[in-house]
Structure formats: structure tokens, C-alpha cells
Amino acid sequence: MAWLISQAFINGILNGGTYALIAMGVTIIFGVMRMVNFASGAYLMIGLYLTYFCYQIFGWDPYIMIPFVLILAAIVGYLSYLITLKPIIRKDRTSAIIITVGLAFFFQNVVLLIFGGDSLSVPSVMNNVSVAFGPFSVSGARLIAFCASVVLALIVNILIKRTSLGRCMRATSESPEVAEMLGVNTGSVHAIAWTLGVTLASFAGLMLSPIYMITSTVGTPFRTASLLAVVLGGLGDIRGAFVCGLLLGVTEALVGGLISADLGPFGLFVPFLILLYFKPFGIFGKGERQA
């Protein structure tokens, strides 16, 4: 039993890294633009299909194609912002949120039109590689995905906290009007925040390409988990999104491994409901400032 719990914990940490990466992207968009991106799962799905598309062209291992997929994902993310969100984001944020729901359905139907409804896959040398840690073993592909998530989390944290772009993003988050008075181009900051957030989701899709079959709905459970992590960590808090992404991954793996695999997704909502009862603003949330 101890071995089973430990193995489930390790698997949960690795799975949680993907949740954390997507949640960070959602958090960046919410923190800067003050809107929730309900299309995060669709952009993860785009990352998977872009990886498959590049594989069909080059025939390379997905890890070698990272630069190509990231560039394509950033282009798709920026164009989707430019066409759908930019004209309305300053006028009606509620409508902008609804647009992200429409984007999710739009992208799902586009990939169905282009690639069809059959499940696709991308082979990798890491597909059948396992890494042993004493009596425990983990998938090499999942370990790479987790390590990449940690590295990107550190890079994003440095970007937000230590660079001039990060300062502009924080200023825009606090008060767009004051930021503009100080010379910040908030429109450009919104575009960068959106593109960065959705590219993180697409990168997560690339990391999952050796693990999951590629379908138009593959991103749906990841969208749900990432949104839960964002709320649980505290809206707008990148640290909280990452930590709670790991927490949800562990809880899901423990419930699925010890009770029933069918109840694994149910495990996502258990810590969410319990912790929010005691911390309504999230683990790292500070609540609203009172006058």
C-alpha cells in the first residue's frame, strides 16, 4: 500500500506539472487583462495538432520541433487576439470572456475540418522509456514534461518580477489608466499577455504529444483542471497557480489510484471545495482591498 501511494504521488506530481503550466498561462491573462480564458484547453489541443503537423512535414521527434511549434502557436495566439479580442476588450470584458468560449468551439471545428475525427499520434523515442527511482518508475515523457514546466515557471516568474515588460504587465494589472499615463502601451501589453498565456498552453500540448492520442476534445479536462488551479491558488497569483496545479494533480492521482480510476477527475474538486471553504479568495489570494 505504501508503494502504491508513493507511486501515485509521483505520478500526480508529474501530471500536475502540466496543469500548473496551463494555469500559469490563464493566470497571466487574468492578471493583466482581467478576464478568464475559457479557450485554454483548445490552445493545448492546438499545440498537439501543430506538433502532429510539423511531424508530418519534418518527421522529427517532437522535442526537436519545439521552436517551430512555439512560433506557430504564438502566431495563432496573436492572430486570434488581434481578430477577436482586441476590438472589444476595452469596451466589454464580459463579451470578451464569451468570445473565448466561442474560440474553443471554433478551433475544435477547424481541426476536425482539417485533420478529421480520427485519433492521431506523434511517435517519440521517449514513448517507451521509463526512468527508475529506487523501487519507483516514471514515464520518461512525463518526466520531461514536468521538468519543462518547472523551467518555464521559473522563466515566467523572472519575466514578471525582474524585467521591464513584467513591470509594465504589473502596472497594467493594477490600473490600466494610470499605466497609460505613465507611458505604458496597455494595448501591446494585453496582446503580449494573451500570446504568452496561450503559448504556454500550446507548449503543454507539445509536451503531451508523446503521451496522449490527439483528438479535438483532448484539452477539455486540462482546461477544467487549470481553471480550478487558478481559482484555488488565488486569481492572478502565478505562484498559487503553479502550486495548486501540482496539488490537483496529486489529488487526482491518489483518488484514481487508491479508489477508482473513474473517480480520478472527481478528485480535482475535493481539495477545491474544501480549501475554498476555509480560504474563499484562494490559498494565496488576499481578497479585495477595503476603503
Side-chain angles (χ1 to χ4, degrees):
M1 178 61 73
W3 178 90
L4 184 61
I5 294 175
S6 300
Q7 184 69 61
F9 181 85
I10 293 172
N11 292 338
I13 286 286
L14 298 182
N15 292 342
T18 302
Y19 295 155
L21 187 59
I22 307 170
M24 286 173 56
V26 175
T27 298
I28 290 171
I29 292 173
F30 179 84
V32 175
M33 303 173 66
R34 293 302 170 187
M35 58 170 286
V36 179
N37 175 23
F38 286 101
S40 57
Y43 283 102
L44 178 140
M45 176 265 299
I46 288 173
L48 284 162
Y49 275 101
L50 287 177
T51 305
Y52 177 80
F53 174 73
C54 290
Y55 171 75
Q56 292 297 310
I57 294 177
F58 300 110
W60 297 341
D61 192 275
Y63 301 113
I64 300 177
M65 297 185 292
I66 288 176
F68 301 98
V69 175
L70 288 183
I71 291 172
L72 290 175
I75 292 173
V76 171
Y78 177 73
L79 289 178
S80 61
Y81 169 83
L82 197 65
I83 295 171
T84 63
L85 290 171
K86 183 180 179 180
I88 199 173
I89 185 65
R90 293 175 179 268
K91 302 174 183 177
D92 188 349
R93 295 185 187 275
T94 302
S95 297
I97 294 173
I98 296 174
I99 285 175
T100 66
V101 179
L103 280 173
F105 288 106
F106 171 76
F107 285 130
Q108 285 179 351
N109 284 279
V110 166
V111 297
L112 284 173
L113 183 64
I114 297 174
F115 297 97
D118 295 334
S119 298
L120 307 173
S121 63
V122 179
S124 170
V125 294
M126 301 303 296
N127 278 349
N128 300 315
V129 174
S130 296
V131 180
F133 295 96
F136 310 106
S137 65
V138 298
S139 164
R142 290 189 182 276
L143 183 60
I144 291 177
F146 174 77
C147 292
S149 298
V150 173
V151 171
L152 273 181
L154 294 174
I155 292 174
V156 169
N157 188 63
I158 293 172
L159 174 68
I160 300 297
K161 298 291 180 63
R162 303 292 178 85
T163 67
S164 57
L165 174 60
R167 287 191 289 272
C168 291
M169 294 173 73
R170 297 200 308 272
T172 303
S173 174
E174 286 290 331
S175 175
E177 294 79 11
V178 174
E180 288 184 346
M181 291 172 58
L182 296 174
V184 176
N185 187 336
T186 57
S188 297
V189 172
H190 284 167
I192 293 172
W194 175 268
T195 304
L196 176 60
V198 300
T199 302
L200 288 176
S202 295
F203 180 78
L206 185 153
M207 288 290 104
L208 293 176
S209 60
I211 305 171
Y212 285 84
M213 297 299 292
I214 304 173
T215 67
S216 62
T217 58
V218 66
T220 302
F222 292 95
R223 178 198 63 196
T224 303
S226 64
L227 291 175
L228 291 177
V230 169
V231 176
L232 192 58
L235 291 173
D237 193 296
I238 292 179
R239 173 189 55 175
F242 187 82
V243 171
C244 290
L246 298 180
L247 174 63
L248 291 177
V250 170
T251 306
E252 180 184 30
L254 288 175
V255 172
L258 299 179
I259 302 177
S260 171
D262 295 332
L263 292 178
F266 171 76
L268 292 173
F269 295 91
V270 174
F272 179 77
L273 295 174
I274 294 175
L275 290 176
L276 280 191
Y277 179 81
F278 296 100
K279 297 279 291 184
F281 295 105
I283 295 176
F284 297 96
K286 298 185 174 83
E288 295 185 1
R289 186 165 46 199
Q290 301 295 324

